[in-house]
Amino acid sequence: MLLPVIFILLLGGGAVLAAQSSINGRLGAITGVIESAWLTFIMGAVLTFLLMFFFEAAHEATLFSVPKWQLTGALFGVVYMLAIVFAVPRVGTAAATVTVISGQLLMSLLIDHFGWLSNAVRPLDVSRYLAMVLLIGAIGLIYLSHQQRHRRLLHHPG
């Protein structure tokens, strides 16, 4: 019963990320990449602080007691935000999103296969190898589409 709700929540989260990428890409093109990313993190910090303050139950561990490597996830969020804000105005929301999702899926397959970052091992099998090939193909097709559009605009502007 809970599994369908989780997948619906994740699907909605993905849709919001695509919209956020497009909005922040436009904002970053006008105000600057770092300013746009900064605004995202300030708003996120305020909202998550309020949610934590009013709704989060106490846990046995704190940010000060967990292994320090686990705090690097916050840095990866900064890398993601800067990359997406920089890329969207240049390649479009679809190309940026497909590439980001492909990077996420490829890395997640490796994390699962090797059990990195204290995760359970889920070995690569034929279907996972095929998924990687299809992801790389998706990136290639989006790239080709982008290149063809760029060539058309150079030869037939306006």
Side-chain angles (χ1 to χ4, degrees), residues 80 84 87 91-106 135-136 138-140 142-143:
Y80 164 76
I84 205 75
V91 299
T93 305
T97 302
V98 166
T99 306
V100 164
I101 291 170
S102 297
Q104 288 176 315
L105 290 171
L106 292 168
L135 288 169
I136 292 166
I139 294 170
I142 292 287
Y143 177 78

Side-chain angles (χ1 to χ4, degrees), residues 128-142:
R128 288 178 177 234
Y129 280 115
L130 180 60
M132 288 193 296
V133 169
L134 292 172
L135 288 169
I136 292 166
I139 294 170
L141 290 172
I142 292 287

Side-chain angles (χ1 to χ4, degrees), residues 108-130:
S108 67
L109 289 168
L110 293 173
I111 290 170
D112 279 354
H113 178 72
F114 293 107
W116 291 340
L117 308 173
S118 302
N119 286 285
V121 173
R122 292 175 180 87
L124 289 171
D125 57 15
V126 173
S127 63
R128 288 178 177 234
Y129 280 115
L130 180 60

Side-chain angles (χ1 to χ4, degrees), residues 15-129:
V16 169
L17 272 180
Q20 178 198 29
S21 297
S22 183
I23 293 166
N24 283 355
R26 298 290 2 120
L27 180 64
I30 297 168
T31 65
V33 171
I34 295 172
E35 289 86 348
S36 178
W38 178 82
L39 177 65
T40 298
F41 289 113
I42 291 298
M43 296 299 293
V46 169
L47 180 59
T48 55
F49 172 79
L50 291 172
L51 290 170
M52 179 184 70
F53 187 77
F54 289 108
F55 299 107
E56 184 74 24
H59 295 276
E60 66 182 66
T62 69
L63 292 177
F64 300 105
S65 65
V66 298
K68 298 307 173 225
W69 69 267
Q70 291 179 350
L71 301 177
T72 60
L75 294 175
F76 295 157
V78 173
V79 171
Y80 164 76
M81 182 56 58
L82 291 172
I84 205 75
V85 171
F86 177 79
V88 165
R90 290 161 178 82
V91 299
T93 305
T97 302
V98 166
T99 306
V100 164
I101 291 170
S102 297
Q104 288 176 315
L105 290 171
L106 292 168
M107 181 55 107
S108 67
L109 289 168
L110 293 173
I111 290 170
D112 279 354
H113 178 72
F114 293 107
W116 291 340
L117 308 173
S118 302
N119 286 285
V121 173
R122 292 175 180 87
L124 289 171
D125 57 15
V126 173
S127 63
R128 288 178 177 234
Y129 280 115

Side-chain angles (χ1 to χ4, degrees), residues 146-158:
H146 183 71
Q147 291 297 94
Q148 289 171 351
R149 182 178 179 278
H150 183 71
R151 278 193 295 273
R152 278 194 309 271
L153 289 175
L154 287 176
H155 290 43
H156 306 291

